[in-house]
């Protein structure tokens, strides 16, 4: 029989996009996905059935990093001559940008497969990092608000950094000679999280054309599990020791992976959607909420606030804290996993 080619169908991905709401992203690491004789292939599609009766997987890890902005080559070009040309890098940004890091460490894999079905059990640890920002966010820091006179500009960054462990049980079935389907249920135990609350990620500014007043509006909440020590808007401390693994705790959740494979000789079409689920955080939680508005004077207000090291920026910070301070609470919250499509 001729070798068969595997590929993804965009319509299948679109169907999942319509059915499941939440943070979604396409997966760029497809190396293991196409290794049909490796048990790692089943990590991206639970419908995969091993070629051997018993399969034992040893510890291992994978890492995926992505950035939509400038490239390393752009950075090298912008740093020629001994100085970094920030404007060159800013011009490479899109209207919406992100930095993504996903680290997946598997401790073991145990599987059994027959002609009709397969079952597997896995355990591992995951670190998900996501930072999304509009082009206006770095431009306000570098250029100030002068280029945005008469405009309302949204500049709120979105952020999530989560560490958790998962225990998974997967089942795959061969419905006939051409169709396989799979399901994998996962219990999640959260170790640490710092993230922006869904629905509370609004930061905007408007600069008046007449008197150059800058009005800032905010409805912004940072959730965390003890990593942030807050003592005023100009005094944030990040406590790294609270982000380290701490065994099993009450921060838990569930997720599911779905997959299917179709043999359309000479092609094999497969699709998988992973990490449909969420984690509920209740242990050692904290929230920092910024909600209100404040008016600054002058064209360089943003530059004074974010970049100037003189006394004027201290005055701006003092005023900002008086009218625009974070409110601390200890409310439980949930975070959705970044769903992946293959």
């Amino acid at each position: 029989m001729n070798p068969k080619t595997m590929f993804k169908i965009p319509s299948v991905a679109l169907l999942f996009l319509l059915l499941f709401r939440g943070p979604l992203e396409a997966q760029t690491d497809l190396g293991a996905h196409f290794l049909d004789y490796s048990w790692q292939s089943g990590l991206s599609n639970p419908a995969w059935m091993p070629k051997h009766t018993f399969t034992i997987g040893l510890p291992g890890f994978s890492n995926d990093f992505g950035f939509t902005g400038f490239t390393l080559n752009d950075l090298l070009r912008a740093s020629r001559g001994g100085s970094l040309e920030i404007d060159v890098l800013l011009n490479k940004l899109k209207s919406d940008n992100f930095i993504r890091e996903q680290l997946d460490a598997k401790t073991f894999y145990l599987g059994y497969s027959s002609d009709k079905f397969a079952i597997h059990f896995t355990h591992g640890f995951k670190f998900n990092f996501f930072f999304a920002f509009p082009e206006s966010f770095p431009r306000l820091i570098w250029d100030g608000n002068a280029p945005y006179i008469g405009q309302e500009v949204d500049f709120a960054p979105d952020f999530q950094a989560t560490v958790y462990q998962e225990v998974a049980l997967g089942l795959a079935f061969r419905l006939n000679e051409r169709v396989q389907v799979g399901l994998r249920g996962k219990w999640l135990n959260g170790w640490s999280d710092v993230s922006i609350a869904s629905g509370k990620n609004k930061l905007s500014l408007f600069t008046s054309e007449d008197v150059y007043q800058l009005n800032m509006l905010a409805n912004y909440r940072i959730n965390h599990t003890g990593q942030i020590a807050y003592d005023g808007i100009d005094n944030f401390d990040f406590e790294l020791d609270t982000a380290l693994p701490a065994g099993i705790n009450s921060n838990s959740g569930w997720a599911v992976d779905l997959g299917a494979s179709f043999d359309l000789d000479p092609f094999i079409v497969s699709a998988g959607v992973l990490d449909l689920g969420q984690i509920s955080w209740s242990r050692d939680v904290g929230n920092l909420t910024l909600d209100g508005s404040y008016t600054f004077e002058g064209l360089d207000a943003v530059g004074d606030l974010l970049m100037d090291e003189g006394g004027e920026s201290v005055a701006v910070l003092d005023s900002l804290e008086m009218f625009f301070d974070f409110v601390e609470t200890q409310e439980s919250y949930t975070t959705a996993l970044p769903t992946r499509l293959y």
Side-chain angles (χ1 to χ4, degrees), residues 101-300:
E101 166 72 17
Q102 289 183 324
L103 177 64
D104 188 353
K106 286 288 183 290
T107 57
F108 71 86
Y109 175 99
L110 180 63
Y112 168 80
S113 180
S114 66
D115 292 336
K116 297 296 184 181
F117 77 97
I119 184 171
H120 67 267
F121 179 74
T122 65
H123 174 267
F125 308 100
K126 287 187 176 182
F127 168 64
N128 291 332
F129 173 86
F130 183 81
F131 178 64
F133 60 95
E135 181 186 5
S136 57
F137 178 68
R139 285 198 176 276
L140 281 171
I141 296 176
W142 184 248
D143 297 328
N145 58 304
Y148 299 100
I149 296 176
Q151 304 177 47
E152 182 176 357
V153 182
D154 292 322
F155 64 97
D158 196 4
F159 177 86
Q160 183 175 2
T162 306
V163 181
Y164 65 95
Q165 65 174 324
E166 67 175 25
V167 179
L169 178 65
L171 294 170
F173 300 93
R174 180 174 285 111
L175 302 183
N176 53 52
E177 292 183 355
R178 295 185 178 274
V179 180
Q180 295 175 197
V181 295
L183 169 72
R184 181 164 48 230
K186 301 187 288 189
W187 175 76
L188 314 174
N189 188 232
W191 280 347
S192 66
D193 176 76
V194 180
S195 58
I196 305 303
S198 176
K200 290 185 177 294
N201 57 348
K202 173 71 173 180
L203 290 173
S204 67
L205 60 87
F206 176 80
T207 304
S208 170
E209 295 180 279
D210 299 327
V211 294
Y212 303 128
Q213 285 184 332
L214 174 68
N215 182 254
M216 297 181 66
L217 299 175
N219 181 16
Y220 199 70
R221 171 174 285 193
I222 304 173
N223 294 323
H224 65 94
T225 53
Q227 287 76 33
I228 298 177
Y230 173 74
D231 186 20
I233 198 167
D234 58 345
N235 189 7
F236 278 89
D237 289 325
F238 187 79
E239 300 177 356
L240 183 60
D241 57 336
T242 60
L244 299 177
I248 297 176
N249 56 65
S250 59
N251 300 322
S252 62
W254 297 90
V256 65
D257 301 339
L258 303 173
S261 179
F262 305 91
D263 189 343
L264 305 178
D265 192 14
F267 301 105
I268 295 178
V269 181
S270 67
V273 57
L274 309 184
D275 293 333
L276 290 167
Q278 64 183 23
I279 299 177
S280 298
W281 304 88
S282 58
R283 178 183 177 183
D284 300 327
V285 296
N287 328 100
L288 297 173
T289 303
L290 197 61
D291 192 4
S293 64
Y294 184 68
T295 299
F296 299 91
E297 302 287 347
L299 282 174
D300 296 326

